[in-house]
């Protein structure tokens, strides 16, 4: 089912949103000061290309032992730069694609997924794209750790 939905996404507008992410990735490489944004941009490019079966999860959920205040502050600063340069138009492209997909009955699940990616497009730094199963496992492990601390 994931394969069918990923193909449907690609045909109904996912090609254009993925192309937008590839263009943003290219510009984040070319503009030297945005080089730290390239990893996050590439991660969300993968999510835009294959949204079904994958999920964007924050690195603090994936690797809770590596989180610290300095990384969080620098990630927030990079997210602000991202929002100004790339985030707003990528978010807008996912919203437009989502609306166009939701107009067709068959495209509603794909459109809803584009709305979710639109929210991620505004603030992507610090997210990694992993399988849905890996994201669920990371969340379960974090919940177990939090429960054991109490």
């Amino acid at each position: 089912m994931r394969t069918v939905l990923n193909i449907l996404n690609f045909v109904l507008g996912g090609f254009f949103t993925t192309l937008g992410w590839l263009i943003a990735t290219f510009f984040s490489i070319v503009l030297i000061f945005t080089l730290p944004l390239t990893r996050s941009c590439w991660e969300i490019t993968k999510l835009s290309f294959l949204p079904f079966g994958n999920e964007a999860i924050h690195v603090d959920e994936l690797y809770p032992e590596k989180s610290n205040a300095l990384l969080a502050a620098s990630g927030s600063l990079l997210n602000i730069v991202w929002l100004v340069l790339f985030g707003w138009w990528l978010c807008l492209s996912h919203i437009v694609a989502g609306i166009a997909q939701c107009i067709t009955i068959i495209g509603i699940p794909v459109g809803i997924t584009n709305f979710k990616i639109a929210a991620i497009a505004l603030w992507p730094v610090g997210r990694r794209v992993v399988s849905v199963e890996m994201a669920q496992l990371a969340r379960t492990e974090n919940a177990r750790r939090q429960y054991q601390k109490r």
Side-chain angles (χ1 to χ4, degrees):
M1 189 66 173
R2 290 178 183 173
T3 305
V4 171
L5 287 171
N6 281 327
I7 291 170
L8 188 63
N9 173 59
F10 190 77
V11 170
L12 292 179
F15 171 76
F16 295 110
T17 57
T18 302
L19 185 63
W21 280 99
L22 286 172
I23 291 168
T25 303
F26 174 75
F27 279 114
S28 70
I29 293 170
V30 171
L31 302 171
I32 301 299
F33 68 95
T34 58
L35 206 52
L37 299 171
T38 305
R39 167 89 190 254
S40 296
C41 195
W42 180 249
E43 290 286 328
I44 310 304
T45 301
K46 293 187 295 187
L47 183 65
S48 179
F49 185 63
L50 298 170
F52 295 96
N54 293 318
E55 189 174 334
I57 187 170
H58 200 275
V59 290
D60 290 343
E61 290 180 287
L62 206 52
Y63 309 110
E65 66 277 355
K66 293 182 181 180
S67 66
N68 65 40
L70 182 62
L71 287 176
S74 62
S76 295
L77 182 64
L78 285 173
N79 272 320
I80 292 169
V81 171
W82 170 266
L83 180 65
V84 171
L85 294 177
F86 305 113
W88 66 272
W89 64 267
L90 285 168
C91 176
L92 192 61
S93 72
H94 279 284
I95 291 171
V96 168
I99 291 170
Q101 290 164 343
C102 284
I103 289 173
T104 67
I105 300 293
I106 197 167
I108 290 174
V110 179
I112 292 169
T113 302
N114 264 299
F115 295 139
K116 291 177 184 177
I117 298 173
I120 296 168
L122 291 175
W123 213 253
V125 175
R127 295 193 187 256
R128 300 291 175 265
V129 175
V130 296
S131 67
V132 173
E133 295 82 14
M134 180 69 167
Q136 184 62 35
L137 181 66
R139 288 188 181 106
T140 303
E141 284 296 314
N142 286 335
R144 187 181 55 76
R145 280 192 203 108
Q146 290 295 329
Y147 182 74
Q148 287 177 345
K149 284 183 182 178
R150 293 178 186 207

